[in-house]
Amino acid sequence: MGQSFFTPNASIALKLDNSLSLLGEFVPHSEFISSSWFLKKNPWFNSRSYMNAVVNYSGLFKFAVKYEYEKYFQINCGVKRSSSTDLPYFINSSIPGRFDIAFQDASIMTIFADLLFYTGPNGYFYGSTSVTVSSDTLKLRVPYVPWSDASLAYGYHFAKYNLDTEIKLNYISDVYTDLLNNSKLNSNIDLGLKFSYQYRPKFFITLEFSNMLFHQNYTWQGYQEMPFNITAGLNIIL
């Protein structure tokens, strides 16, 4: 016989004026998670060790404030929290170089802020940052849940040269790799630069640089991300 869950939820949205709005949600729910879901997050996941499961998130809420100034910029910030008695997380597998899934009674709370300057004469800018506090019943951090995460991007269109440029910085820090919090990855820093030149209508030449700081980045223990890399390509819109 299948399991059944009663998960009432509620949400509210208030627009205080033309610029400011509030959003609140309380949405406990049950989620079916298959091995393919974990493979998308971690390509080194040992899918043969995992059976499909239903995770019950008993407490999940979100509160956000959005401020928009005409068509110049918008700011979105808030806090969200989720908890579960069987929260899934990655652990090292008995097979070298692979990862398994384990479950733990834990909660995750994230404070976030997003800033967007719309495209204008000075280009565009987007920034996103968050701080996440994860904790199990022993007040230890959940593996592979970063403490801080930030992404910044600035782009500019050189109309005279039919050239689009973008510089982007991604930063992730304080990621533990085990439940006892004895092992931690180095901070992940990735500075990139991208160019797109319109040679003809619907014909673009692209050039992209990644990891320009030559930083040793790791998303998963034992697997270093791509070092300094240059990618060139053609984009034809049919």
Side-chain angles (χ1 to χ4, degrees):
M1 180 180 295
Q3 293 178 303
S4 61
F5 301 96
F6 178 66
T7 55
N9 59 79
S11 64
I12 184 172
L14 296 175
K15 190 170 184 178
L16 303 182
D17 55 35
N18 291 331
S19 301
L20 187 64
S21 57
L22 305 177
L23 171 67
E25 294 180 328
F26 176 69
V27 285
H29 66 282
S30 300
E31 184 176 352
F32 175 81
I33 303 179
S34 65
S35 59
S36 61
W37 187 89
F38 288 109
L39 275 172
K40 291 179 181 179
K41 297 180 68 68
N42 184 349
W44 316 111
F45 169 56
N46 179 24
S47 58
R48 295 183 179 180
S49 68
Y50 176 76
M51 298 295 292
N52 298 335
V54 176
V55 178
N56 185 26
Y57 293 95
S58 57
L60 194 155
F61 73 84
K62 177 180 179 180
F63 176 78
V65 179
K66 179 182 178 181
Y67 177 78
E68 185 173 10
Y69 182 70
E70 296 182 350
K71 294 300 180 181
Y72 294 101
F73 70 88
Q74 74 174 41
I75 301 173
N76 184 35
C77 59
V79 59
K80 56 184 177 181
R81 183 183 184 276
S82 63
S83 61
S84 176
T85 56
D86 50 3
L87 187 76
Y89 66 94
F90 288 101
I91 59 173
N92 289 328
S93 174
S94 58
I95 302 176
R98 294 291 180 174
F99 294 87
D100 291 332
I101 290 295
F103 297 87
Q104 180 72 5
D105 186 351
S107 63
I108 298 177
M109 183 176 70
T110 301
I111 301 171
F112 63 90
D114 302 320
L115 174 63
L116 172 63
F117 282 89
Y118 297 114
T119 301
N122 297 316
Y124 66 86
F125 173 81
Y126 174 76
S128 175
T129 183
S130 64
V131 173
T132 300
V133 179
S134 61
S135 177
D136 65 5
T137 54
L138 299 177
K139 306 301 180 183
L140 295 171
R141 299 263 299 278
V142 178
Y144 292 104
V145 176
W147 166 260
S148 61
D149 188 342
S151 178
L152 306 173
Y154 171 75
Y156 188 83
H157 174 65
F158 293 90
K160 182 178 179 180
Y161 304 102
N162 292 329
L163 180 65
D164 287 308
T165 62
E166 183 183 78
I167 184 169
K168 188 172 184 179
L169 176 66
N170 294 318
Y171 175 79
I172 298 175
S173 71
D174 293 325
V175 177
Y176 285 98
T177 63
D178 65 317
L179 194 59
L180 296 178
N181 294 174
N182 292 324
S183 176
K184 185 168 65 173
L185 298 177
N186 293 330
S187 297
N188 194 317
I189 305 173
D190 186 6
L191 178 64
L193 184 60
K194 182 167 59 175
F195 300 94
S196 179
Y197 171 66
Q198 185 177 2
Y199 179 68
R200 289 284 188 273
K202 300 184 179 182
F203 189 95
F204 297 85
I205 300 173
T206 61
L207 182 64
E208 187 170 356
F209 302 85
S210 61
N211 198 7
M212 295 173 61
L213 299 179
F214 298 89
H215 197 265
Q216 293 185 353
N217 294 323
Y218 290 85
T219 301
W220 305 103
Q221 187 180 42
Y223 293 96
Q224 184 177 342
E225 295 293 310
M226 182 76 69
F228 174 71
N229 187 54
I230 302 175
T231 304
L234 300 176
N235 186 15
I236 302 175
I237 301 177
L238 301 177

